């Protein structure tokens, strides 16, 4: 076995070790290309927290791979122990939103570095938000690609603003597709022409 052919025309390798490392590199390159070409929807999430009532509100805004607004959601959560837990609830809402929209490739973007890090880990989280993180980790298999990415607060203003609106409204609101016109957005308290 001094020469071993590969799936690449005209390429022959001298040894098995070389063949193995070449094939690994080729698989990694193909995998990278697939990830690069896969359309990824973005869901921005943020949370607002009220320590007086131990409640939080999650603000979520989703765009498709072309940058078109596809969903807008606010949700209220009760008995939330901390702002940290509020951010974890918002992230879980983002995961659930991606599942309900049947989006296979999602980039969840939020401004909590700690929640992002815990969601990416595979070990069991034993912190106060461990149960929420476990729920998120168990739902990862519902996606082809699920990326948790930190985004600066200044780039997450829409999600932040609608989380604050949620407290004023006191209810869960879900707008999708044709419901996302400016009149409906204004009726729930959002008055911006540019959602980017």
């Amino acid at each position: 076995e001094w020469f071993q052919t590969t799936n690449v025309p005209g390429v022959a390798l001298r040894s098995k070790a070389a063949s193995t490392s070449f094939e690994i590199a080729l698989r990694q390159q193909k995998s990278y290309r697939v990830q690069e070409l896969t359309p990824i929807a973005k869901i921005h999430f943020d949370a607002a927290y009220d320590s007086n009532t131990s409640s939080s509100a999650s603000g979520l805004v989703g765009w498709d791979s072309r940058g078109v607004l596809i969903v807008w959601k606010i949700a209220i959560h009760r008995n939330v122990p901390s702002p940290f837990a509020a951010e974890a609830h918002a992230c879980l809402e983002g995961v659930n939103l991606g599942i309900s929209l049947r989006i296979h490739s999602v980039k969840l973007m939020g401004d909590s570095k700690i929640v992002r890090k815990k969601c990416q880990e595979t070990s069991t989280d034993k912190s106060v938000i461990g149960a929420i993180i476990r729920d998120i980790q168990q739902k990862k298999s519902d996606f082809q690609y699920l990326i948790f990415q930190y985004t600066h607060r200044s780039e997450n203003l829409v999600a932040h603003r609608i989380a604050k609106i949620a407290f004023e409204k006191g209810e869960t609101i879900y707008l999708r597709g044709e419901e996302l016109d400016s009149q409906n957005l204004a009726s729930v308290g959002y008055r911006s022409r540019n959602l980017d």
Side-chain angles (χ1 to χ4, degrees):
E1 290 187 4
W2 283 100
F3 286 91
Q4 184 173 354
T5 58
T6 68
N7 293 336
V8 180
V11 176
L13 300 173
R14 288 246 176 235
S15 69
K16 252 188 170 176
S19 171
T20 304
S21 62
F22 177 78
E23 288 172 356
I24 289 170
L26 189 60
R27 275 193 302 261
Q28 287 173 341
Q29 184 179 8
K30 284 181 183 177
S31 173
Y32 176 74
R33 269 193 245 137
V34 168
Q35 287 178 2
E36 195 175 79
L37 298 175
T38 302
I40 296 180
K42 293 180 183 178
I43 297 175
H44 283 249
F45 68 90
D46 201 5
Y49 180 71
D50 183 354
S51 59
N52 294 329
T53 61
S54 295
S55 61
S56 72
S58 300
L60 301 120
V61 184
W63 289 271
D64 68 12
S65 59
R66 297 166 300 173
V68 176
L69 180 66
I70 57 172
V71 67
W72 193 90
K73 181 179 181 182
I74 53 180
I76 302 293
H77 308 280
R78 307 277 180 228
N79 301 316
V80 180
S82 68
F84 186 52
E87 288 287 344
H89 275 292
C91 185
L92 178 58
E93 285 286 339
V95 170
N96 289 334
L97 185 59
I99 292 169
S100 71
L101 293 172
R102 296 190 171 128
I103 301 172
H104 300 289
S105 301
V106 175
K107 185 184 289 187
L108 277 171
M109 304 175 76
D111 55 23
S112 174
K113 289 181 182 180
I114 295 170
V115 170
R116 179 197 54 86
K117 181 181 177 190
K118 288 181 177 291
C119 289
Q120 289 176 330
E121 293 174 353
T122 55
S123 61
T124 303
D125 185 64
K126 296 178 182 176
S127 70
V128 173
I129 62 168
I132 302 167
I133 298 300
R134 279 189 297 282
D135 284 350
I136 292 168
Q137 290 172 341
Q138 289 172 354
K139 294 179 182 199
K140 286 180 183 178
S141 62
D142 291 337
F143 297 91
Q144 184 178 5
Y145 297 106
L146 179 59
I147 301 164
F148 299 94
Q149 182 177 327
Y150 168 78
T151 185
H152 191 271
R153 169 66 57 102
S154 65
E155 296 171 7
N156 206 29
L157 288 177
V158 175
H160 181 72
R161 279 193 262 164
I162 65 173
K164 288 193 174 269
I165 290 170
F167 274 131
E168 295 169 15
K169 294 291 178 183
E171 62 184 335
T172 295
I173 298 172
Y174 181 81
L175 300 175
R176 182 176 171 198
E178 293 177 4
E179 298 170 332
L180 288 167
D181 63 25
S182 58
Q183 184 177 5
N184 279 333
L185 291 174
S187 72
V188 294
Y190 192 83
R191 300 186 195 325
S192 175
R193 292 179 189 218
N194 185 3
L195 289 173
D196 294 332

